Amino acid sequence: MKSWFVTRLGDPDVALEIRDTPVPKPKKEELLIKVEAFSLNFFDILQCQGNYQEKPDLPFTPGAEIAGVVEKSGEGTSFEKGQRVMSATSLPNGGYTEYVLVNEKDVFPIPDELPYDEASAMFITYHTSYYALKSRANLKVGETVLVHAGSGGVGSAAIQIAKAMGATVIATAGSDEKINVSKKLGADYVINYRKEDFVQIVKDITNNKGADVIFDPVGGEVFHRSRKCIAFDGRILLIGFAGGTIPDVPTNHILIKNYSIVGVHFGYFKKMFPEKVRRAHEELMELYQKRLIKPLIYHRYSFDQVVEALNQLANRKTYGKLVVTT
């Protein structure tokens, strides 16, 4: 089988190469999956560079999300050969490959109407956004949600999920193209934060009340400005720090405006409560079948275009998810 390996640390065009290796055999509670598609994430680039928190020995195969078909089942597994699935994958045996071994606990069945390319783009973004909005924010029908980076992976999922939950959605993005993408995803209002003051616009839309929930995967100055348009009793969801700066929190301001700052760490939640993640997966599949959510795919690439795709992702001019079909 062909797999991409990080053979030395550096940018993707330096770090990655394709190697042929034997197809592995599943052990107890493992599944061998024939990969039909895998998606790319920005942290894959950090792994290539050696700048990610996990630093496996070289060589290793990156990739955290795949979709495909069960090829073989190890002892004690409940999945059958030929079953359509999506799965989380982990270092050092990630998903940039034609076949991958995964533990059954990380594998989820998918309906026939969900294409493999879309399934491979769902796990991290949709589970993160669903966990954030439903479990951490306790989002209610009729509330207003401000989604930053609305055309990004988690942002695009958050727009769709918030709408499915009955919220009014305001989305920000940094270009007219990305604004149009956010609007097509279902956002009720869109703001180009490079040209407009999102704080004032949010206040205008909400009659000075502010947003009930703010979904923030950016951090830095975006977080601090978000504090100026959060509603009394509102919730700011900390998804990540794509802006590169981790902000300090002025607790006196939190006290005065009576809002909550809520951490969202889906990966740790998944380890602690796998049964809740499985239930959330079933609920997300129902939303997909009702056509309330649909992964936003920027482009589909062939297996040998992985480096090209990662270079495009690094430029931060893409939107949604980048997917490789095998």
Side-chain angles (χ1 to χ4, degrees), residues 144 202-203 206-213 228-232:
T144 299
V202 169
K203 288 180 178 180
T206 61
N207 294 317
N208 284 321
K209 175 188 174 184
D212 299 293
V213 175
K228 298 179 182 298
C229 59
I230 186 69
F232 188 84

Side-chain angles (χ1 to χ4, degrees), residues 13-85:
D13 53 347
V14 172
L16 286 165
E17 67 175 60
I18 296 176
R19 291 182 177 180
D20 285 313
T21 59
V23 176
K25 296 180 180 180
K27 299 176 183 177
K28 185 177 180 180
E29 297 182 350
E30 286 185 335
L31 299 171
L32 176 67
I33 298 175
K34 181 182 183 300
V35 178
E36 298 290 343
F38 58 86
S39 68
L40 312 181
N41 290 284
F42 190 80
F43 58 74
D44 298 342
I45 299 171
L46 300 180
Q47 291 170 1
C48 290
Q49 297 168 337
N51 293 328
Y52 195 62
Q53 54 260 41
E54 293 182 65
K55 302 182 189 302
D57 294 334
L58 299 175
F60 65 88
T61 297
E65 302 173 283
I66 66 99
V69 181
V70 175
E71 185 74 14
K72 292 183 181 179
S73 300
E75 180 186 351
T77 59
S78 59
F79 286 84
E80 299 177 353
K81 178 179 172 62
Q83 194 164 354
R84 304 176 79 253
V85 296

Side-chain angles (χ1 to χ4, degrees), residues 146-149 154 213-224 226 235-243 247 262 264:
L146 172 61
V147 177
H148 289 302
V154 289
V213 175
I214 297 180
F215 185 96
D216 181 15
V218 181
E221 186 60 25
V222 168
F223 168 80
H224 287 303
S226 294
R235 294 86 77 197
I236 299 179
L237 299 169
L238 295 184
I239 313 298
F241 308 104
V262 186
V264 179

